[in-house]
C-alpha cells in the first residue's frame, strides 16, 4: 500500500484549496521575496491553492466543469495530469495494480474526471464502461478490463465519529 500524501494532506494531489505537491523553494520564495509570514504562507497553502489557486475561479470541480473559462480547463487538465502521474508512480512502485478506486467528493461525483483518468491509465489495462460510469455504478470498468475500477462512497464524518468513540471507550 502507498499514498500520495506525506506528513500532511498538503502533499500529493492538489485538492480544492490545498496545494498538493510543492517545491520547498516556493515556501522560501514566499518568505524571502514576498515577505510573507508563516500564517500568510499557511493561508496560501491550505486555503488559496489547489483548484481555486490554479483556476482563480472556484475550488469546486462542479463549477470548473461547467465554466467555459480557459483557466477552469487548465485547472482540470492539471488535476487529471497529477492523478495520472501519481497513479503511474504508484503502479511502478508496486509492479502494477489490481484495482483503481474513486472515492470522496470528486471521485464519487465527477464522471468526467473518472473517464479522463481511466483513459489516461489505459496502458495499465483499464477499460472503462462509459454507461456504468455515467450512471455512477459501483464497478465502472468493463468485464474484460485487466484492472477493476470502482466508485466507493465515503463517509469521513462517520469514520471520525467511530474512531473517536473507540478512543473514548475504556
Amino acid at each position: 500500500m502507498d499514498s500520495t500524501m506525506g506528513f500532511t494532506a498538503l502533499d500529493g494531489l492538489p485538492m480544492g484549496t490545498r496545494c498538493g505537491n510543492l517545491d520547498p523553494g516556493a515556501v522560501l520564495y514566499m518568505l524571502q521575496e514576498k515577505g510573507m509570514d508563516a500564517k500568510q504562507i499557511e493561508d496560501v497553502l491550505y486555503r488559496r491553492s489547489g483548484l481555486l489557486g490554479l483556476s482563480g475561479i472556484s475550488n469546486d470541480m462542479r463549477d470548473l466543469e461547467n465554466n467555459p473559462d480557459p483557466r477552469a480547463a487548465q485547472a482540470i487538465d492539471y488535476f487529471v495530469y497529477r492523478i495520472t502521474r501519481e497513479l503511474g508512480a504508484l503502479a511502478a512502485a508496486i509492479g502494477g495494480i489490481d484495482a483503481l478506486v474513486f472515492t470522496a467528493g470528486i471521485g464519487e461525483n465527477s464522471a468526467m474526471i473518472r473517464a479522463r483518468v481511466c483513459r489516461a491509465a489505459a496502458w495499465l489495462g483499464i477499460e472503462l464502461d462509459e454507461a456504468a460510469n455515467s450512471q455512477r455504478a459501483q464497478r465502472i470498468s468493463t468485464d474484460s478490463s485487466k484492472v477493476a475500477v470502482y466508485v466507493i462512497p465515503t463517509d469521513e464524518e462517520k469514520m471520525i465519529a467511530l474512531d473517536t468513540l473507540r478512543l473514548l471507550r475504556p
Side-chain angles (χ1 to χ4, degrees):
M1 278 200 206
D2 203 348
S3 172
T4 60
M5 289 188 280
F7 178 70
T8 70
L10 277 182
D11 198 12
L13 298 174
M15 301 307 287
T17 59
R18 293 189 306 246
C19 63
N21 189 291
L22 179 72
D23 180 340
V27 175
L28 296 175
Y29 175 80
M30 288 186 271
L31 279 168
Q32 297 169 347
E33 300 298 322
K34 293 295 186 181
M36 298 171 78
D37 65 26
K39 282 290 182 196
Q40 291 171 312
I41 293 171
E42 178 183 32
D43 182 57
V44 167
L45 298 180
Y46 278 96
R47 289 176 279 291
R48 295 191 292 136
S49 295
L51 294 173
L52 175 62
L54 289 166
S55 70
I57 297 168
S58 177
N59 67 340
D60 191 316
M61 183 59 76
R62 294 168 296 193
D63 294 339
L64 298 177
E65 287 179 357
N66 294 310
N67 194 313
D69 190 310
R71 297 174 303 161
Q74 183 178 9
I76 293 169
D77 289 347
Y78 182 75
F79 184 71
V80 172
Y81 163 76
R82 285 303 315 278
I83 293 170
T84 303
R85 185 174 123 178
E86 294 297 330
L87 181 56
L90 292 169
I94 61 175
I97 63 172
D98 298 317
L100 175 61
V101 178
F102 291 95
T103 191
I106 296 171
E108 285 179 51
N109 297 303
S110 178
M112 184 267 290
I113 293 294
R114 293 191 304 265
R116 288 186 60 182
V117 169
C118 288
R119 281 194 294 274
W123 64 274
L124 287 167
I126 292 175
E127 294 178 17
L128 180 67
D129 180 331
E130 297 283 350
N133 184 40
S134 65
Q135 296 168 5
R136 292 181 61 185
Q138 185 173 24
R139 181 174 173 146
I140 61 170
S141 53
T142 64
D143 291 338
S144 61
S145 181
K146 293 178 183 168
V147 174
V149 183
Y150 298 97
V151 179
I152 306 292
T154 186
D155 189 343
E156 294 170 351
E157 291 81 8
K158 179 180 178 183
M159 293 310 301
I160 291 168
L162 290 172
D163 286 344
T164 301
L165 186 60
R166 181 181 49 82
L167 291 172
L168 291 175
R169 286 194 175 139

